[in-house]
Amino acid sequence: LIRRVVLHAIGSFLSGLAFATAAAPADIVKTRLMADSSYTGFVDCLGKSVRQGGVLSLYRGWTPVSEERACSAWSRVPSR
C-alpha cells in the first residue's frame, strides 16, 4: 500500500510539472493578447514575443505555476 501511494504521488507530481511546462507558452501568449491590443493574433503575439525575449520568455513565471500544478495534482493521490 505504501509503495502504491508513493508511486501515485510521484506520478501526480511529475504530471503536474509536465502540464505546467506544456501549457506555459500558450498561457503567456494568451495573457499578452488580452493585455495588449497591438497584436493581430496568436501567431503574431507568439512571434513577437520570441523575437523580443527569446524562447525562454514564454516560460516567465513558470516556477510558481509549476509548483501549484504539481502540488494540486499531488493532493489528489488516492489513499487506497
Side-chain angles (χ1 to χ4, degrees):
L1 178 66
I2 296 296
R3 182 177 178 194
R4 181 176 169 198
V5 171
V6 169
L7 288 176
H8 277 279
I10 291 170
S12 296
F13 186 81
L14 292 176
S15 71
L17 288 178
F19 174 76
T21 301
D27 193 40
I28 290 289
V29 172
K30 176 193 67 126
T31 302
R32 289 182 182 175
L33 274 170
M34 293 169 73
D36 189 354
S37 62
S38 67
Y39 298 114
T40 59
F42 188 88
V43 175
D44 178 51
C45 181
L46 178 66
K48 287 180 180 177
S49 297
V50 170
R51 267 186 252 117
Q52 290 173 356
V55 175
L56 291 180
S57 68
L58 299 176
Y59 291 95
R60 291 184 87 182
W62 178 85
T63 302
V65 172
S66 65
E67 289 173 357
E68 186 272 329
R69 297 287 183 200
C71 291
S72 68
W74 182 72
S75 68
R76 292 188 291 270
V77 172
S79 60
R80 293 186 198 223

